[in-house]
Amino acid sequence: MQPVPHAARRFAPLYRLLLPAGAAFLLTAAAPPPEPPHFTHWIDGTTGSEPETQVQRIDADTFVIRQSVETNFEAPFLYLLFGRDRALLLDTGAGGLKIRPTVDRLIDAWRARHGGRPIRLVVAHSHSHGDHHAGDSEFHDRPDTDVVGLAPEQVAAFFGIADWPQDTGHLDLGGRVLDIIPTPGHEPAHVMVYDARTQLLFSGDMLYPGRLYVSLDKFGDFRASAARLAAFARTHPIRALLGAHIEMTTTPGQDYPMRAATHPSEHPLPLPPSVIAELHQAVENAGPAPEIDRHADFIVYPLPPRPKAD
Ligand SMILES: [Zn+2]
Ligand SMILES: [Zn+2]
């Protein structure tokens, strides 16, 4: 929420008198949305040598971990969110490195800032493709840790989603309740995670600056998820979407070659909330034989049905 400027506050009673309630609401709603999170340059494989992971902080309880493209071409983004009692790690990376040391270091530092408070770790996934859970085995023997399963039924059970994929689930980290939005299509167990505290939507592989792969036989599921997502966005303030990869360059509509070893001039990680309606419209317009559909910030990328690992 943006602070109300002094002038608007002073005149608020006046326009309440002069305008009907609906008009006053429109004035309020016209306030500019909060800024997206600001990140410095991400590791992108262009320097010849870079660390296996890079961490950037959104706030004291919200962290982004980027896995180096040098460890795996997918170079995914992982998210670590802290509440009072639990932390959520969303995804464990694509393999080719040990991811747990980075996560443990962040948790240890957070605990040190909170008087050594114990905190349970939930390891969950945007979806079950291999580039998002390759590090799970590092967490199976970690104390005070729950690793959520990869099948839709397991995800639904953990987050209390009675009617998958129609219902929204929840995860209470302690003073920080996350909404878990089933979004099958890219993959059957795909979810997005909405954090009301930061107004961020962690959007996985369904909507990020890159190629939004969807098997043609699952396009109907993808379209239905886009419609549910659009409905969610109409009732929840969204500051930005943070997805799981970057495959677009800073040139609108231009992606990197598949399996690119470096990502010079990457598109920013955050996407504006307007891309939700843009994606919804794109898949509604796609017709019975969807084709590759390039947009400035993403590419809808239908594929013939086949096994796919990312
Ligand atoms: Zn995927
Ligand atoms: Zn992926």
Side-chain angles (χ1 to χ4, degrees), residues 127 129 132 186 205 310:
H127 63 297
H129 284 154
H132 301 272
H186 170 76
D205 272 11
D310 58 4

Side-chain angles (χ1 to χ4, degrees), residues 141-206:
D141 64 350
R142 189 182 183 279
D144 302 319
T145 301
D146 301 306
V147 179
V148 181
L150 297 172
E153 311 80 62
Q154 293 170 300
V155 176
F158 189 86
F159 295 115
I161 301 168
D163 183 12
W164 175 281
Q166 305 300 332
D167 289 348
T168 298
H170 302 284
L171 178 65
D172 188 351
L173 300 177
R176 187 177 194 180
V177 179
L178 306 175
D179 291 318
I180 312 296
I181 310 160
T183 38
H186 170 76
E187 188 281 329
H190 195 286
V191 296
M192 291 192 186
V193 176
Y194 175 70
D195 175 27
R197 186 202 280 187
T198 57
Q199 300 184 1
L200 292 172
L201 180 67
F202 300 95
S203 52
D205 272 11
M206 180 175 174

